[in-house]
Amino acid sequence: VSSIECDQFIARPPSVVWRALTEPDLLASWWARSDIKPVVGHRFTLDMGEWGVQPCEVLEVEPEKLLKYTFAEGALDTTITWRLEPEGQGTRLFLIHDGFEPDSMPLRRMGGGWPKLLAHLARTLSADRG
Amino acid sequence: VPDVDVFGALANPVRRQVLEALRDGPLAAGELAGRFELSRPAVSEHLAVLRHAGLITEEPRGRHRYYHLAADPLAEVYDWLHPFERYWRSRLGALRDFAESADFAPEKAGSAPEKGAPAPEKAALAPEKSEEEPL
């Protein structure tokens, strides 16, 4: 596996979902503090708490349709793509998180704050599981 | 399988090196201590963490104890994208809950019932309530 794809229906039009993805105040409400702007070439960070502040850069913008940026430069070196499609009265939101080295062994690539990130994630997930 | 401990155990560089050293075959604790210029107690501690995580197994041979790499938990780590997938599903759920919440009614929502009323600005955000994951 070298990429993750998920989708989610949201009972709000793409214009609303777009704002939740691109306006720092709104983004912080459901994910992470950020100085994101939907402008190609804009460099920003996502404050992932214990995971560390991750540097990112906007790669592609199609207002209310597509937002693509690099994610966790120097740590994961991956790309996140958000795609919005109208569906009925709402939006189908597609997420692609790709660029993971398919054959990379985590033993080798875990440096810096990433191990902590994984440990934290694992703790979270296991707590999740009850 | 205690996957929590797998990731925690792998977070330490010495423990990763111990695992790499064991890829070529079992080693005794003393041999490992020699390789890493660590005290025996320090090595024992790392070995205990790895053993607890199920990453290595211990085999007594005479007066010595040998350590083997255990394959299963590492296979789990190879599938390391799985936690990310779960993470994203939970984020997408959080986004849906947030965007659909009554408090988040941006002016562009399209279905605003009364046009005369001042559209709530983005300041009218829902206070964080159900954020069980501190990510």
Side-chain angles (χ1 to χ4, degrees):
Chain A
V1 194
S2 65
S3 75
I4 297 162
E5 301 185 22
C6 307
D7 67 89
Q8 173 75 52
F9 177 76
I10 298 170
R12 294 279 186 157
S15 58
V16 172
V17 176
W18 180 255
R19 292 190 54 196
L21 291 171
T22 57
E23 293 186 16
D25 287 353
L26 303 183
L27 188 66
S29 296
W30 64 272
W31 187 20
R33 276 201 303 270
S34 175
D35 52 342
I36 191 169
K37 269 193 282 188
V39 174
V40 174
H42 175 63
R43 297 191 58 81
F44 63 100
T45 58
L46 282 163
D47 182 353
M48 310 284 287
E50 265 194 65
W51 297 27
V53 176
Q54 303 297 333
C56 307
E57 180 178 343
V58 178
L59 299 175
E60 263 183 78
V61 177
E62 281 182 59
E64 302 184 5
K65 283 184 186 153
L66 185 126
L67 177 67
K68 180 173 179 176
Y69 45 81
T70 62
F71 178 68
E73 290 172 13
L76 266 191
D77 284 322
T78 50
T79 303
I80 289 178
T81 306
W82 301 98
R83 195 158 52 80
L84 295 69
E85 284 186 7
E87 184 174 304
Q89 300 295 308
T91 303
R92 175 72 55 181
L93 178 66
F94 296 88
L95 164 70
I96 301 173
H97 186 187
D98 65 356
F100 292 95
E101 298 286 330
D103 54 354
S104 73
M105 172 130 168
L107 293 186
R108 294 219 179 80
R109 64 181 294 115
M110 285 173 149
W114 206 238
K116 210 174 162 193
L117 186 161
L118 283 174
H120 175 69
L121 179 58
R123 273 200 306 279
T124 304
L125 295 179
S126 77
D128 227 33
R129 222 172 277 162
Chain B
V1 186
D3 49 344
V4 175
D5 298 318
V6 171
F7 288 115
L10 291 174
N12 181 288
V14 172
R15 291 197 286 269
R16 296 202 295 275
Q17 286 166 28
V18 167
L19 292 175
E20 295 207 1
L22 293 176
R23 282 196 300 197
D24 299 327
L27 290 171
E31 295 173 303
L32 284 165
R35 285 197 190 202
F36 298 107
E37 295 178 6
L38 287 171
S39 67
R40 280 294 289 268
V43 167
S44 297
E45 202 172 306
H46 286 306
L47 289 171
V49 173
L50 290 169
R51 207 154 45 86
H52 179 69
L55 289 164
I56 61 172
T57 56
E58 189 182 73
E59 178 205 2
R61 286 189 199 167
R63 296 192 302 116
H64 298 285
R65 277 176 294 178
Y66 277 76
Y67 293 88
H68 298 254
L69 199 57
D72 289 358
L74 281 177
E76 179 186 319
V77 173
Y78 274 112
D79 192 20
W80 73 306
L81 293 190
H82 183 65
F84 284 95
E85 186 169 341
R86 294 198 47 170
Y87 170 68
W88 283 122
R89 292 201 180 285
S90 90
R91 283 307 86 199
L92 285 169
L95 169 56
R96 178 204 53 211
D97 294 345
F98 170 65
E100 292 180 358
S101 67
D103 299 310
F104 180 37
E107 66 275 15
K108 286 199 212 158
S111 56
E114 63 253 290
K115 285 223 161 146
E121 284 301 321
K122 62 188 176 185
L125 287 180
E128 269 315 280
K129 275 186 216 158
S130 56
E131 205 63 52
E132 75 284 358
E133 292 175 61
L135 283 169

